[in-house]
Amino acid sequence: MGQNLKSGEKLRPVDLARGHGLSTQAIRNYEEAGVLPEAGRTPHGYRTYTRRHARALDAFLALVPGHGHRAATAIMRAVNEGAVDEAFRLIDESHAQLLDDRRTLRAVENALRDLVPTGEVPASGEMFIGPLAEQLGIRPATLRAWERAGLVRPRRDPLTGYRVYGGAAVRDARLTHQLRRGGYLLEQIAPLLTQVRSAGGLEPLEAALRTWRDRLSSRGRSLLTGAAGLEAYLRADD
């Protein structure tokens, strides 16, 4: 906060705002949302804050990077209402989400690593449904189901109407196959394939995966920082 407050010292909204680089309107909004305990009032009705409010704001700002604004608000509101167990549950949810995201990243990394170079697409760059299904060890009906789910996008031969799988479609089929073997549902695979397509293939995706991994690590550290801030608030005297 950048201020050394004495016990019982009163702060105006502007004092609390400036100490945290915020506007006075933001302070009022946070109080109304339950992020801050209810402010005291002067005989003339002006808000007054104390060291406890400053610590609450410190805790909230520490929670936001890891949990997001909405969850951090819910956590602080629960604490200020005396529902500490509910606050802990919300914190657990953020950690569980981070763990799920790590598992998803690991699944994609494993799937990419397991895409073997054997049995490459023929020189023509295209395959029909039967040979592709045989290569993957699945039934043609499975490939058709993946197509209906938008995971694989073969073209149709204009003369025969047969499905023809180009290089990108074969890649998507292989990646889908690996993720399905890892237990992922079709609706979970769809956004991952979207990332592959937007990256322009598997090789450019490596950089995206590194960024994704760094972002998860940053979130994990932010959760630790938020926990420390909240613990300091919980331990502080009024």
Side-chain angles (χ1 to χ4, degrees):
M1 178 181 175
Q3 294 180 356
N4 294 319
L5 298 177
K6 298 178 181 179
S7 180
E9 183 178 348
K10 302 298 183 182
L11 291 173
R12 300 169 300 169
V14 67
D15 298 325
L16 190 59
R18 286 174 179 170
H20 290 82
L22 300 170
S23 67
T24 53
Q25 184 59 54
I27 298 299
R28 288 192 289 269
N29 292 343
Y30 287 150
E31 182 187 346
E32 292 172 2
V35 169
L36 303 179
E38 186 177 355
R41 294 281 180 167
T42 68
H44 297 289
Y46 295 114
R47 288 179 171 87
T48 62
Y49 297 101
T50 66
R51 181 168 59 177
R52 182 167 187 258
H53 294 92
R55 284 171 171 162
L57 191 51
D58 287 339
F60 172 71
L61 295 176
L63 288 166
V64 168
H67 295 271
H69 194 278
R70 180 179 297 180
T73 298
I75 290 167
M76 291 302 300
R77 184 167 56 241
V79 168
N80 291 327
E81 291 174 353
V84 178
D85 284 344
E86 172 63 11
F88 292 159
R89 185 191 68 79
L90 293 168
I91 291 171
D92 290 344
E93 284 189 352
S94 291
H95 282 278
Q97 181 61 60
L98 178 59
L99 182 59
D100 284 344
D101 290 345
R102 288 189 185 282
R103 286 170 175 163
T104 299
L105 173 60
R106 189 177 301 116
V108 175
E109 291 174 330
N110 290 340
L112 295 180
R113 186 171 58 248
D114 292 341
L115 288 177
V116 296
T118 58
E120 293 293 344
V121 185
S124 64
E126 297 181 333
M127 299 182 72
F128 291 110
I129 189 170
L132 179 57
E134 182 178 359
Q135 184 184 97
L136 296 176
I138 60 177
R139 296 178 302 163
T142 300
L143 279 171
R144 289 192 288 268
W146 293 351
E147 179 184 350
R148 289 192 297 271
L151 304 179
V152 182
R153 301 172 178 175
R155 69 174 183 85
R156 293 279 184 166
D157 184 282
L159 297 179
T160 65
Y162 293 160
R163 291 174 173 83
V164 181
Y165 296 81
V170 172
R171 175 203 67 201
D172 292 347
R174 290 176 175 173
L175 188 54
T176 297
H177 180 51
Q178 292 294 340
L179 290 169
R180 287 293 290 144
R181 289 177 61 186
Y184 279 77
L185 303 176
L186 297 185
E187 56 266 28
Q188 295 172 311
I189 296 172
L192 304 179
L193 286 177
T194 298
Q195 288 187 343
V196 172
R197 291 165 183 155
S198 63
L202 298 179
E203 186 174 348
L205 188 61
E206 292 295 334
L209 291 177
R210 285 193 297 271
T211 300
W212 187 1
R213 191 182 308 111
D214 291 343
R215 190 166 60 245
L216 293 181
S217 295
S218 178
R219 254 175 65 199
R221 189 161 190 168
S222 293
L223 288 174
L224 290 177
T225 301
L230 184 61
E231 175 65 9
Y233 177 55
L234 291 173
R235 287 183 175 274
D237 294 331
D238 292 348

